Amino acid sequence: MDYPKNTPGAGLANGRFVDEDPIAGTPGSLIPASWGNAVTQEILNVISGAGLVPSENQTDQLSLAIKELAKLDPQQRFPVQVYRKNLIINGNFDIWQRGAVNLAPNIGAYIADRFRCDWNGNAGVNISRQNFVPGQGEVPNEPRFFFRWQQVTAGAGGSIHRISQAIESVRTLAGKTATLTFWAKADTTRQVNVTLGQFPGTGGGGGETVTPVGSFQLKTSWTRFSATVQLPSLAGKVLGSGGNDCLRLSFDLPLNVLQVIDLAQVQLEEGPVSTLFELRSPGDELMLCQRYYEKTYSQEVSPGTFIGAYGSLISTVRLGQASFSAQPLAQWTFKVEKRGVPSISLFAPTSKGTPGQWRSGSDEVSSASARALGASTRGVWVDNFDTALVTQTYYIHATADAEL
C-alpha cells in the first residue's frame, strides 16, 4: 500500500497529504474513493486474518490482530533440536519394549517405556496398551495407543497406586514455571492427584521435595487437563553422587477400589502456557527410550519370548578349540549409550535347556554359566564363565536396564 501518487488531482505535496491553506490560497489534498477503499480493505484483511470479526465501533482491532498474528504457532515446524519441548519421553505411548501388558496382576514396575507402575495393599492391576480406533475424534493427532490401568483386585490398606516417570536430572525445571498437559478418562468419575518431586539422588541431602500440580476429576469420556506450577529452586540442596537424581512426575490414583484409568498424550514443558502436543516420530522416541532400556529382541517381541536366534547375540565354538577358548563369547554394542551402567538380563532363545543360557543352533546343547562381563554405558560382553562347550554355534538374548 502507498499514497495515491499516480492519481491525478489527489493534491499531494512531497508525496504526502496536506491540508487546505486559506491564506496561501492552496487547496487541500483529495482522498480518492479507490484509495480509501483499498486502505480500509487492507486493514480488514489483517483483522479477518487474525480470526476477528470486524466491528465498526471498535477502534483497537488492528492492534489486537497484529498481536494475535505475531504469536508463535505451536505447529510451526522447527528443527527438532530447537523444538523438542516435551520433557516426558514416550508421552504418546508409542513404545512398549517390555511388552504390551504386565506379566501378572501383582507385578508392576516398567511396562510402557519410561512409565513406572507401583501399587500395594495386595491390589491386582492389569497394565495394558490399548488401541485408538483410526479416525476417532476425541483425542487429537491420531495417536495409535493409550495406557490403561485396570484394577481387578481392589486390595486393602494400600498407600500407593501410582503411575510415574522419572526425568533425568533434578536440575530439570528447577526454579522455573512448568505446564503439564494430558488426556485421561475413567470408568466413572475419579480423582487423580498429580505431583512433581525433586529427588536429589541417593546420598543427597534434604530428601525429595514434592510440589502438587493439581487434583483432576476424570470423566467417562476423554478430557484434556492442564495445570501450571512453579517449581522450587535447588538452593540448599546437596545432590547425591549416584547419578540417579531426577524430577519425578507422579499420577496418584484412588486407593483400594476397582477402577479403570486411561492416559494419553502426556506433556510437561517449560513455561506458563500449554501448547499443542509435540509429535515426535516413533523412531526418535525409541532412541530416547533406549537410553534407559534396550533389548536384542525386535521392538514388538517381549523379552523372554522363545523366538529362536532372531536378533540374538551369536558365538561360534569351532573345531579344535578347548578349555577357555571353547566358550561362547559375544560383544553387545548398544544402539544408544545408556544413562548409567545397566543391569543385564539373559534369556535363552528356545524353551529347551536351561533358562537364561546360551543355546546351540541345533537346539541340542545348552550352557550352564552364561554371564554378563564388563558392562559399561556403551556395551557388554556375554561369555560362559570358563565352561567349555562342544563345537556349535550358540545364541542368547539379552536386555540392558538403566532406568532411574
Side-chain angles (χ1 to χ4, degrees):
M1 196 65 203
D2 200 357
Y3 288 94
K5 298 175 182 178
N6 297 319
T7 302
L12 301 180
N14 296 321
R16 294 176 177 271
F17 295 117
V18 294
D19 294 326
E20 179 185 4
D21 187 345
I23 297 175
T26 57
S29 302
L30 298 176
I31 297 180
S34 60
W35 186 89
N37 289 333
V39 171
T40 304
Q41 189 59 53
E42 188 154 339
I43 295 173
L44 290 174
N45 287 341
V46 176
I47 293 172
S48 298
L52 304 176
V53 178
S55 172
E56 186 176 351
N57 299 318
Q58 190 172 345
T59 59
D60 63 346
Q61 286 194 296
L62 180 59
S63 173
L64 294 174
I66 292 172
K67 291 177 181 178
E68 183 65 28
L69 293 171
K71 286 182 178 179
L72 176 66
D73 180 1
Q75 298 188 79
Q76 188 171 349
R77 295 292 186 250
F78 287 105
V80 67
Q81 67 271 24
V82 175
Y83 197 52
R84 182 162 286 166
K85 62 181 179 181
N86 190 3
L87 297 171
I88 297 298
I89 296 176
N90 199 29
N92 209 32
F93 296 105
D94 285 320
I95 312 300
W96 297 68
Q97 292 190 86
R98 296 167 178 83
V101 297
N102 57 323
L103 297 177
N106 64 331
I107 299 177
Y110 292 92
I111 297 94
D113 274 60
R114 301 295 295 119
F115 284 91
R116 183 179 176 87
C117 301
D118 294 282
W119 58 89
N120 61 8
N122 294 317
V125 181
N126 292 333
I127 304 297
S128 63
R129 183 182 70 188
Q130 299 291 315
N131 297 311
F132 277 109
V133 176
Q136 55 81 29
E138 293 184 279
V139 180
N141 305 314
E142 281 290 345
R144 294 177 63 199
F145 305 123
F146 61 92
F147 173 102
R148 170 163 289 176
W149 171 297
Q150 182 178 15
Q151 196 150 339
V152 293
T153 304
S159 60
I160 178 172
H161 290 16
R162 177 176 296 164
I163 305 164
S164 64
Q165 181 169 141
I167 302 167
E168 192 172 345
S169 178
V170 71
R171 293 179 172 86
T172 305
L173 296 176
K176 296 182 178 180
T177 300
T179 298
L180 171 71
T181 308
F182 63 96
W183 288 80
K185 66 182 179 73
D187 56 330
T188 188
T189 301
R190 298 198 184 279
Q191 178 173 303
V192 171
N193 298 317
V194 182
T195 60
L196 283 168
Q198 294 167 295
F199 176 59
T202 303
E208 184 169 352
T209 301
V210 177
T211 301
V213 176
S215 295
F216 304 92
Q217 294 293 327
L218 274 54
K219 305 174 183 178
T220 56
S221 59
W222 283 108
T223 304
R224 184 178 185 267
F225 298 93
S226 181
T228 297
V229 63
Q230 177 69 40
L231 285 166
S233 75
L234 298 179
K237 287 283 187 182
V238 177
L239 304 189
S241 58
N244 63 340
D245 56 288
C246 65
L247 175 67
R248 195 187 321 275
L249 173 68
S250 298
F251 294 85
D252 288 306
L253 313 184
L255 301 174
N256 309 320
V257 294
L258 300 178
Q259 59 186 329
V260 178
I261 304 289
D262 295 334
L263 282 178
Q265 295 195 345
V266 181
Q267 178 159 290
L268 180 66
E269 57 190 309
E270 182 179 342
V273 178
S274 171
T275 65
L276 295 180
F277 183 76
E278 181 183 13
L279 292 172
R280 297 191 284 251
S281 73
D284 285 344
E285 210 72 44
L286 176 60
M287 286 191 294
L288 292 174
C289 292
Q290 286 175 331
R291 176 168 170 79
Y292 305 90
Y293 184 86
E294 190 175 325
K295 60 183 181 178
T296 57
Y297 301 90
S298 299
Q299 186 181 344
E300 289 297 318
V301 177
S302 301
T305 304
F306 299 124
I307 61 167
Y310 300 105
S312 69
L313 304 179
I314 301 174
S315 180
T316 300
V317 175
R318 300 185 182 279
L319 186 65
Q321 291 179 307
S323 186
F324 178 81
S325 65
Q327 300 177 53
L329 176 65
Q331 184 183 33
W332 182 21
T333 302
F334 302 140
K335 297 182 180 70
V336 176
E337 184 169 4
K338 300 294 169 278
R339 175 198 65 82
V341 177
S343 61
I344 306 298
S345 297
L346 302 175
F347 302 88
T350 68
S351 59
K352 291 185 178 180
T354 306
Q357 299 292 336
W358 294 92
R359 189 69 185 166
S360 75
S362 63
D363 203 21
E364 294 299 328
V365 180
S366 174
S367 66
S369 302
R371 67 173 179 178
L373 181 66
S376 73
T377 60
R378 302 296 299 273
V380 64
W381 289 90
V382 179
D383 71 352
N384 204 51
F385 195 41
D386 293 333
T387 301
L389 295 179
V390 300
T391 302
Q392 290 277 347
T393 298
Y394 293 90
Y395 307 91
I396 197 167
H397 280 285
T399 63
D401 191 331
E403 289 286 1
L404 286 157

